[in-house]
Amino acid sequence: MKTAILGAAWLIMCSNTAFAANGVRAPFGALSDGTKIEAVTLTNGAGMSARIMTLGATLQSLAVPDKAGHKDDVVLGYDTAQEYLTRPNYFGASVGRYANRIAKGKFSLDGKGYTLVTNDGPNSLHGGPKGFDKRLWKIDAVTSGPDAKAVFSYVSADGEEGFPGDLKVTATYSLNEQNELKLEYKATTSKPTVLNLTNHSYFNLSGNDARDVMGNMVTLHAAKFTPVDATLIPTGERRAVAGSPFDFRTPHRVGDRIRDARDQQIRYGRGYDHNFIVDGAAGSLRPAAVVNDPVSGRTMEMSVSAPGIQFYTGNFMDGTFFGKAQHSYRQGDAICLEPGVFPDAPNHADFPTARLNLGQAYVNTMVYKFSAK
Ligand code: GLA
């Protein structure tokens, strides 16, 4: 009773206080089979709000002020939950069990071979045909306060999509008054497995996809990246970015070198679709990327705990489908920055491990900080 009264008092305080971030849970329509979807909206007093829905624990919208204070949505996606299943592109999704590719859908663990469904040419991509992005997550908690927070969870059964171990996963989104959106994936397993959870937001800082991202300035704190073969599987090499279109150690326009077909890696990726090795020691948060849209003045600074970050420029979007507000999405309309272990790590003994053991706590943390000037 006492807790209920205190809780109510806190709620009233929050709704009356302009500078306390709050979290609100509400229905977000239904899928075509009638399944109800919910969403949590986190709002702070500094002009930002983030809406996350239970389907895929997906960041469905992210409103951020520009230099004039106008709030616009800076992530691609759909207006309704069903469209995320009908025309899947991993927009804003929580991706698992294995974000990015596993070569030929095969890996082995402790001498036992595992075969996954191949859903990207010869390879397995983003956890298979029914990965975590297409699953219903539960809302475990929604809190208001100095940081507004929403905790989503999903339990994946042993063998789901071919992966071993019962896996319990949480995705915690929190928003503070410094315009930092923090996202933390945690997991535990009932037996050894491989795991790579990430968020697959498509950022377009112009707001409401007003312009493509070719004029965005990008910095990547990465001296090396992992080159790929024609099917986008890493060759195993860690190549220095110096002197190549992959050198973003100082800010560069995305469009400046994206068509430099002299570089075979640009040809293979149809532009940028590569894992960069984030400088510094993995395991603790460190700066990974900065994206700036000079027109709106919006900047996103990203810190990650993961060893790598996939930089992808929406190269597979071809204008044949449309997203929010019936707006068609084309190549180069967004920047994805997906922190995780390296693609195909289960088949590369010298890459940072994707293995998760019984009793071990998996954590992947990413912070997106927004500002405008
Ligand atoms: C990742 C991959 C891309 C593409 C997108 C989803 O970013 O690296 O090749 O598959 O996901 O379309």
Side-chain angles (χ1 to χ4, degrees), residues 89-90 100-101 120 125-126 200 202 232 273 310 312 316 338:
N89 271 280
Y90 309 97
N100 216 300
R101 294 174 177 77
D120 184 62
L125 176 70
H126 293 331
H200 205 306
Y202 286 64
L232 302 183
D273 192 353
Q310 184 82 7
Y312 169 62
F316 291 110
E338 309 150 50

Side-chain angles (χ1 to χ4, degrees), residues 286-306:
R286 63 216 191 284
V290 184
V291 182
N292 166 256
D293 169 38
V295 182
S296 69
R298 290 189 184 92
T299 295
M300 178 175 83
E301 292 162 85
M302 216 177 150
S303 303
V304 307
S305 65

